[in-house]
Amino acid sequence: MDALQHINNTVYFRYFEDVRVVMLEALKVFDFVKSHNIGPVVASTRCDYRAPLVYPDTITTVSWVENIQEKRYTMKYEIHSHNQQRCVAEGEALIVYCDFNTGKSCPIPAETLEGLQAYVGGQ
């Protein structure tokens, strides 16, 4: 919590990261990064705060994928408060694939691209 007695705005981005990592682990992206030195980077991110989260609370964070292109896709997020019984934040991140050897964008690997389909619009 911050000085105003609610969850600090930066924490919401950690919640987004948590669900993003779960998806990347399910797609075995980290294994691919280790063997090919190609992987996702967050190019931009944002959050629209709908209501403050106050401790204690239980939350559910959901995510899905939209707008898959050759080298990038968008992840959408929602954070739901159980105490308030509503969505308290919505966000998104632009994920770009990068060849870490060159530092330049590159196509999303075929196996990752195929796996991403399971997350399209899947709230």
Side-chain angles (χ1 to χ4, degrees):
M1 292 197 315
D2 63 16
L4 298 175
Q5 302 303 305
H6 60 268
I7 304 299
N8 186 275
N9 63 304
T10 60
V11 175
Y12 291 68
F13 291 97
R14 293 304 306 253
Y15 298 148
F16 295 164
E17 179 183 33
D18 289 344
V19 296
R20 184 171 58 249
V21 167
V22 168
M23 183 190 81
L24 295 175
E25 285 176 340
L27 295 174
K28 302 190 183 328
V29 168
F30 299 117
D31 293 336
F32 193 88
V33 171
K34 288 178 187 173
S35 61
H36 294 87
N37 216 26
I38 292 171
V41 294
V42 176
S44 67
T45 188
R46 68 176 189 80
C47 182
D48 296 323
Y49 305 96
R50 304 292 180 218
L53 274 173
V54 179
Y55 181 84
D57 197 348
T58 300
I59 63 166
T60 300
T61 306
V62 296
S63 68
W64 63 97
V65 173
E66 292 183 355
N67 195 26
I68 300 174
Q69 298 182 24
E70 178 188 13
K71 298 180 179 182
R72 66 182 187 204
Y73 57 90
T74 302
M75 284 199 73
K76 298 282 192 161
Y77 310 100
E78 290 181 351
I79 299 173
H80 297 266
S81 161
H82 292 215
N83 286 350
Q84 298 176 53
Q85 297 184 342
R86 66 176 174 153
C87 178
V88 295
E90 298 173 323
E92 68 178 37
L94 176 63
I95 310 298
V96 176
Y97 259 72
C98 182
D99 181 331
F100 298 120
N101 294 317
T102 66
K104 297 185 179 195
S105 65
C106 66
I108 299 169
E111 54 267 38
T112 303
L113 194 58
E114 183 179 322
L116 282 172
Q117 298 302 320
Y119 295 92
V120 173
Q123 294 188 48

